[in-house]
Amino acid sequence: MDELLMIVPTRGRPDSVPAILDCWRQTGATADLLFAVDDDDPMLPGYREHMETLNDPHIRWRTGPRLRMCGTLNAAAVEMAPHYRFLAFMGDDHRPRTPGWDERFRICMSGGPGIVYGNDLLMSERMPTAVAMTSDIVRTLGYMAPSCLVHLCLDLVWLEWGKAIGRITYLGDVILEHMHPAAAKAAFDGGYQECNSTEQVAADSAAYFAYMEGEFHSDVDKLRKLVEAS
């Protein structure tokens, strides 16, 4: 088992599995990889077909009830936090491109509680759309992202956590490419339509601002104490 686990919540895109595995091979990544799939996904047989052909203890998948992206990520992260030193997240539309990217992440987080992210070639330094953090952050807060969120604004929270505790690093030369319709790198499929609908944007935006005005402050207090104790 590696020190670093990458969690990939995914729905409706079984072809992302071989595409991501190809990136693992091309970059020489040794981080463990967990695909988190909804048990009601109509494309579940496609995921099963890909995963059952693998014989690699570093690559696993889990199924569970649909909790949307943030809920699925939190369920997997809380379950795995006691077993890993570092936890990472990327969407099923991210593609690591830089050889040794995972080792760069490990080195960056080896000094104690903190957050690191690379360049997604879309938002770059402005947002950690793919992120890694020390697992003690998840154990301390009880989640990897605020549970009030569904799909959007997680990256904004990670950025604010890291800035507030002075423990966030952007590695601009480490590419985890975001193959997103906004970059004209993917079709605007049903998944994108759902999470970027007017209703979802409004709901997650409102939840983000409410969190920042309230629970954010107590979360940061907990993280500052974590840093002080390290």
Side-chain angles (χ1 to χ4, degrees), residues 93 122 151 177-188 192 195-196:
D93 55 355
L122 178 60
H151 191 99
E177 187 173 6
H178 200 177
M179 309 299 289
H180 194 277
K185 295 177 180 178
F188 198 67
Y192 290 119
C195 66
N196 290 285

Side-chain angles (χ1 to χ4, degrees), residues 119-131:
N119 186 350
D120 72 347
L121 302 182
L122 178 60
M123 301 308 296
S124 303
E125 189 171 7
R126 288 171 290 169
M127 286 186 194
T129 63
V131 71

Side-chain angles (χ1 to χ4, degrees), residues 76-145:
V78 169
E79 178 184 334
M80 294 298 170
H83 308 292
Y84 286 89
R85 186 179 177 191
F86 313 119
L87 294 175
F89 156 81
M90 69 179 193
D92 59 11
D93 55 355
H94 283 85
R95 302 290 181 264
R97 304 297 190 193
T98 303
W101 64 269
D102 54 333
E103 182 60 15
R104 294 283 301 281
F105 278 12
R106 292 187 203 92
I107 291 170
C108 194
M109 294 183 287
S110 63
I115 298 171
V116 60
Y117 63 110
N119 186 350
D120 72 347
L121 302 182
L122 178 60
M123 301 308 296
S124 303
E125 189 171 7
R126 288 171 290 169
M127 286 186 194
T129 63
V131 71
M133 65 183 67
T134 52
S135 61
D136 51 9
I137 291 177
V138 176
R139 295 195 301 270
T140 296
L141 299 181
Y143 48 59
M144 192 165 177

Side-chain angles (χ1 to χ4, degrees), residues 7 9 34 36 62 67-82 87-89 133 137-139 141-150 154 158 161:
I7 301 169
L34 177 64
R62 75 189 296 275
L67 302 173
R68 302 295 299 271
M69 190 181 77
C70 186
T72 298
L73 172 62
N74 281 335
V78 169
E79 178 184 334
M80 294 298 170
L87 294 175
F89 156 81
M133 65 183 67
I137 291 177
V138 176
R139 295 195 301 270
L141 299 181
Y143 48 59
M144 192 165 177
S147 55
C148 59
L149 300 174
V150 172
L154 285 69
W158 293 326
W161 282 352

